C-alpha cells in the first residue's frame, strides 16, 4: 500500500515536471483570468462603499458628544468637507444600509441556479455573462440614481447581485476541472484572493477618482473594465482541458491523471439527501458565515468608519481602506504555500491544515477588530488594528474556499453555492445592522458592531473544529455509494440464508 502510494506520488511529480515546461500552461491562464474575474466582481460591488461617502450629505459634527465617543477634526480633512453642505443626496444611515445590503438580496438567490447551470453546461459562459451583465448595470448606476434616487439604486443593486451570484459557484466548477489536488491550495487561493484585491482596487482607485472627478466616473470606470475582461475571457478560457484547443498534450495528460479519480466528465445527479445531512458540509457553511460576516462588514462599512468617525479625507479614505486587503492578500499567498507544503510533506492531514487556517482566520481578526474600537481617536493605531485583523482573515481563504473542492470535486459548484449562498446572507444583514446601530456614528456604537463580529467568528469556528473534514466525501460518487449499498444488501441476504 505504501509502495503503491509512493509510485503514484512519483508519477504525479513526473507529470507535473513535464507539464511545467514549454509554452504557458493553460491552467495558469485560467487561474489568472479567474483571479481577475473576482477582482472585477468585487471592484464593481465595493466601489459604491467609497462613492456613497461623497454622494450623500454628511451630518454635522456634534461637538456636545463626550471626547471619547467622537473624534475631533484635524488637518487631514478641511472642516468644510464634513459639514452638511457636502454631497448631493440626503440618505440617512438606515437608507445607506439598505442600499449597501440590497446587492446581496439578489446575490443569494442565484448561487444554486448558477452552480447547477455551470455543472450542466460549463462555467465559462455562466461566469462570463454574469460579470458582463453586472458591468452593464454598474455603468447604468448614475442614470438610475438621476431618475429614481435611492429606490432606483436599490433595484439596480438587486439585479447586480442576481448577475454576480453565479460567480463563485461557476469558478469552483471550473477549478474542479483545472486545479489538480497537488496544486489545489495554491491555485484556489490565487483565484479567490481576487476578492480582497478587488476590494483594494475598488477602494484605492475610487478614492483617487473621487478626488479629481465626479462620482459617476467611478461606476463608468469599473463597469468598463468589467466588459473588457469579458471579451478576453471568452477568447482564452474554456470549460475543461478536454475542450481547450491550445492545451499541450503533456498538460492534458497531467490534468487527466490528477483529476480523473474523483472528478467525472458527467457527474450523476446531485445526491441531495446525503449532501444536506453531511456534517462536514454544515461545518463549512458555519465557518464561511463567520468569515463572510467579518469580511462583508469591513468591506462594506470600513470606508464609512474612516470618513464619519475618523474624518479621513476621501483620498486618504480610499488608500487606507484598501491597506487591510493588501495584508489579506499577502497572508493568503503565504498560508496557501504553507498549506500545500504541510499536506505534501504529510506533516498534517488535509483536515488539520484546513482547521488550522480557519482558526487563525477567526480568532486573530476578531481580537484585532475589537481592539480597534478601544484605540479611541488614535488614527495610526486604529488603522494598524484593522490592517492586522483583516490580514489574518486571509488565512481562511486556502482553507474554507478550497474545502468545497476537498469534499466534492464532482459537485464543487453546488457545495460552493450552498456554503457561499448561506454566507452571503450576512451581506444582507451586516449593512442593515451597522445602519441601525451606528445612527450617530459614535465609537461606542461601532464597538458593538465589532464585538458582534468577534462573537460570530468564535462560535462558527468552534463548530468547524468539531465537524469539518478535508477528505473527499462518500457522496461525491453516488455510483460508488449505490454499489456499496448493493454489496451490503447482498451480504445481509447471505447471512440470513446461512
Amino acid at each position: 500500500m505504501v509502495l503503491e502510494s509512493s509510485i503514484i506520488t512519483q508519477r504525479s511529480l513526473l507529470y507535473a515536471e513535464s507539464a511545467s515546461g514549454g509554452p504557458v500552461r493553460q491552467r495558469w491562464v485560467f487561474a489568472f483570468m479567474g483571479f481577475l474575474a473576482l477582482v472585477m466582481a468585487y471592484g464593481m460591488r465595493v466601489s459604491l462603499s467609497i462613492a456613497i461617502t461623497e454622494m450623500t450629505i454628511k451630518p454635522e459634527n456634534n461637538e456636545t458628544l463626550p471626547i471619547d465617543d467622537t473624534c475631533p477634526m484635524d488637518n487631514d480633512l478641511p472642516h468644510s468637507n464634513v459639514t452638511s453642505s457636502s454631497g448631493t443626496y440626503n440618505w440617512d444611515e438606515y437608507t445607506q444600509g439598505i442600499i449597501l445590503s440590497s446587492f446581496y438580496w439578489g446575490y443569494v438567490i442565484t448561487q444554486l441556479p448558477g452552480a447547477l447551470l455551470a455543472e450542466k453546461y460549463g462555467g465559462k459562459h455562466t461566469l462570463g455573462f454574469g460579470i458582463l451583465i453586472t458591468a452593464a448595470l454598474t455603468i447604468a448606476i448614475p442614470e438610475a440614481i438621476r431618475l429614481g434616487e435611492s429606490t432606483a439604486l436599490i433595484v439596480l443593486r438587486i439585479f447586480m447581485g442576481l448577475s454576480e451570484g453565479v460567480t463563485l459557484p461557476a469558478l469552483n466548477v471550473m477549478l474542479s476541472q483545472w486545479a489538480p489536488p497537488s496544486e489545489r491550495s495554491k491555485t484556489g487561493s490565487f483565484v479567490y484572493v481576487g476578492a480582497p484585491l478587488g476590494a483594494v482596487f475598488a477602494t484605492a482607485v475610487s478614492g483617487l477618482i473621487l478626488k479629481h472627478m465626479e462620482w459617476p466616473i467611478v461606476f463608468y470606470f469599473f463597469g468598463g473594465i468589467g466588459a473588457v475582461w469579458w471579451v478576453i475571457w471568452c477568447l482564452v478560457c474554456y470549460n475543461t482541458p478536454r475542450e481547450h484547443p491550445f492545451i499541450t498534450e503533456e498538460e492534458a495528460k497531467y490534468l487527466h491523471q490528477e483529476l480523473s479519480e474523483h472528478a467525472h466528465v458527467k457527474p450523476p445527479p446531485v445526491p441531495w439527501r446525503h449532501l444536506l445531512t453531511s456534517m462536514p458540509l454544515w461545518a463549512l457553511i458555519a465557518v464561511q458565515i463567520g468569515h463572510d460576516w467579518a469580511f462583508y462588514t469591513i468591506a462594506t462599512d470600513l470606508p464609512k468608519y474612516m470618513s464619519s468617525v475618523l474624518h479621513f479625507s476621501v483620498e486618504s479614505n480610499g488608500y487606507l481602506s484598501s491597506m487591510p486587503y493588501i495584508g489579506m492578500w499577502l497572508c493568503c499567498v503565504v498560508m496557501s504555500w504553507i498549506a500545500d507544503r504541510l499536506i505534501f510533506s504529510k506533516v498534517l492531514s488535509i483536515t488539520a491544515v484546513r482547521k488550522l487556517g480557519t482558526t487563525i482566520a477567526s480568532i486573530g481578526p476578531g481580537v484585532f477588530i475589537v481592539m480597534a474600537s478601544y484605540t479611541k481617536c488614535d488614527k495610526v493605531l486604529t488603522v494598524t488594528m484593522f490592517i492586522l485583523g483583516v490580514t489574518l482573515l486571509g488565512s481562511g481563504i486556502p482553507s474554507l474556499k478550497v474545502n468545497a473542492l476537498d469534499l466534492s470535486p464532482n459537485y464543487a459548484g453546488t457545495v460552493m453555492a450552498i456554503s457561499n449562498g448561506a454566507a452571503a446572507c450576512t451581506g444582507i444583514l451586516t449593512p442593515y445592522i451597522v445602519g441601525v446601530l451606528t445612527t450617530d456614528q459614535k465609537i461606542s456604537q461601532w464597538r458593538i458592531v465589532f464585538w458582534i463580529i468577534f462573537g460570530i467568528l468564535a462560535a462558527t469556528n468552534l463548530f468547524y473544529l468539531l465537524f469539518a473534514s478535508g477528505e473527499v466525501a462518500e457522496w461525491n460518487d453516488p455510483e460508488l455509494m449505490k454499489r456499496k449499498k448493493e454489496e451490503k444488501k447482498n451480504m445481509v441476504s447471505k447471512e440470513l440464508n446461512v
Side-chain angles (χ1 to χ4, degrees):
M1 188 71 179
V2 174
L3 178 61
E4 182 182 352
S5 175
S6 176
I7 292 172
I8 291 172
T9 302
Q10 291 175 10
R11 185 169 57 186
S12 297
L13 289 172
L14 288 172
Y15 271 118
E17 289 173 3
S18 65
S20 62
V24 174
R25 296 296 128 186
Q26 295 306 316
R27 65 186 185 277
W28 301 345
V29 173
F30 157 71
F32 181 68
M33 290 302 295
F35 160 80
L36 288 182
L38 289 184
V39 171
M40 298 299 106
Y42 277 75
M44 291 184 285
R45 182 191 311 187
V46 173
S47 56
L48 179 63
S49 297
I50 287 284
I52 202 169
T53 64
E54 292 301 296
M55 294 161 61
T56 55
I57 298 173
K58 296 178 178 64
E60 295 281 357
N61 187 45
N62 190 346
E63 301 294 345
T64 64
L65 290 173
I67 191 64
D68 64 344
D69 220 19
T70 186
C71 296
M73 306 297 173
D74 61 24
N75 294 332
D76 181 72
L77 184 64
H79 186 272
S80 60
N81 283 356
V82 291
T83 63
S84 60
S85 61
S86 63
T88 303
Y89 302 101
N90 191 18
W91 299 336
D92 59 20
E93 293 298 325
Y94 175 80
T95 302
Q96 291 181 50
I98 296 296
I99 290 170
L100 292 172
S101 70
S102 59
F103 174 92
Y104 298 95
W105 304 352
Y107 186 72
V108 170
I109 294 172
T110 50
Q111 294 285 318
L112 189 55
L116 297 176
L117 280 172
E119 286 171 352
K120 186 170 184 179
Y121 300 108
K124 175 178 178 176
H125 292 303
T126 306
L127 171 62
F129 283 116
I131 297 291
L132 178 63
I133 295 169
T134 305
L137 293 171
T138 301
I139 293 171
I141 284 177
E143 184 64 15
I145 294 174
R146 187 185 70 82
L147 294 174
E149 293 206 5
S150 60
T151 302
L153 179 56
I154 289 169
V155 171
L156 199 64
R157 292 275 292 179
I158 292 172
F159 279 102
M160 287 176 64
L162 287 168
S163 302
E164 205 173 293
V166 304
T167 304
L168 287 178
L171 265 179
N172 229 36
V173 168
M174 295 186 73
L175 276 168
S176 71
Q177 298 293 332
W178 285 99
S182 59
E183 302 174 6
R184 186 170 290 161
S185 293
K186 289 193 293 287
T187 304
S189 298
F190 176 77
V191 171
Y192 287 121
V193 83
L197 284 186
V200 171
F201 185 54
T203 51
V205 173
S206 296
L208 190 61
I209 291 173
L210 289 167
K211 180 184 178 183
H212 298 286
M213 291 174 274
E214 298 295 322
W215 62 261
I217 305 299
V218 171
F219 303 109
Y220 298 147
F221 173 78
F222 284 101
I225 62 173
V228 171
W229 171 89
W230 173 76
V231 173
I232 300 172
W233 170 262
C234 289
L235 292 175
V236 302
C237 290
Y238 293 82
N239 289 316
T240 67
R242 294 178 297 276
E243 297 179 14
H244 206 297
F246 310 123
I247 194 170
T248 62
E249 184 178 352
E250 291 83 3
E251 185 178 18
K253 285 181 178 178
Y254 169 63
L255 291 174
H256 177 75
Q257 170 69 29
E258 290 288 293
L259 296 168
S260 58
E261 181 179 359
H262 295 297
H264 297 173
V265 176
K266 290 185 177 180
V270 178
W272 287 108
R273 181 172 66 86
H274 297 283
L275 190 145
L276 294 176
T277 55
S278 170
M279 289 308 295
L281 174 58
W282 283 106
L284 175 59
I285 292 170
V287 79
Q288 186 147 334
I289 287 173
H291 186 274
D292 284 8
W293 188 287
F295 180 77
Y296 287 145
T297 303
I298 298 300
T300 304
D301 293 296
L302 182 59
K304 290 174 64 179
Y305 189 84
M306 296 289 196
S307 174
S308 301
V309 177
L310 298 179
H311 305 307
F312 282 110
S313 67
V314 64
E315 184 182 20
S316 298
N317 192 350
Y319 291 138
L320 293 173
S321 294
S322 69
M323 287 176 66
Y325 304 108
I326 297 174
M328 188 177 182
W329 166 63
L330 291 173
C331 182
C332 176
V333 171
V334 171
M335 287 302 297
S336 65
W337 181 83
I338 292 173
D340 277 340
R341 292 297 300 173
L342 290 173
I343 293 169
F344 180 76
S345 60
K346 301 188 185 303
V347 174
L348 293 175
S349 67
I350 296 175
T351 301
V353 168
R354 303 303 184 228
K355 290 181 178 181
L356 175 64
T358 59
T359 301
I360 294 172
S362 297
I363 304 305
V367 170
F368 284 115
I369 289 171
V370 167
M371 287 174 64
S373 68
Y374 289 95
T375 56
K376 298 184 180 178
C377 296
D378 186 328
K379 294 186 177 183
V380 173
L381 189 55
T382 301
V383 171
T384 300
M385 293 296 103
F386 279 124
I387 290 174
L388 291 173
V390 178
T391 292
L392 292 177
L393 274 178
S395 175
I397 294 177
S399 296
L400 63 94
K401 295 296 186 185
V402 179
N403 198 198
L405 291 168
D406 295 330
L407 293 176
S408 180
N410 277 329
Y411 306 107
T414 298
V415 173
M416 175 59 79
I418 294 171
S419 60
N420 194 62
C425 292
T426 64
I428 298 173
L429 293 173
T430 55
Y432 174 78
I433 290 173
V434 170
V436 170
L437 293 178
T438 62
T439 53
D440 300 316
Q441 295 300 308
K442 297 179 183 178
I443 294 175
S444 60
Q445 293 172 339
W446 279 94
R447 188 173 294 140
I448 297 171
V449 172
F450 298 150
W451 270 110
I452 291 173
I453 292 175
F454 176 84
I456 291 175
L457 280 171
T460 55
N461 186 69
L462 176 61
F463 190 82
Y464 188 80
L465 290 176
L466 293 174
F467 298 108
S469 173
E471 305 302 322
V472 176
E474 188 179 50
W475 44 263
N476 177 68
D477 191 341
E479 294 300 324
L480 177 62
M481 289 180 63
K482 186 177 179 180
R483 289 196 300 272
K484 285 185 176 181
K485 188 175 180 180
E486 290 295 328
E487 289 173 2
K488 186 176 180 180
K489 185 177 179 181
N490 291 335
M491 287 182 62
V492 170
S493 298
K494 288 180 180 179
E495 290 175 358
L496 290 174
N497 290 335
V498 171

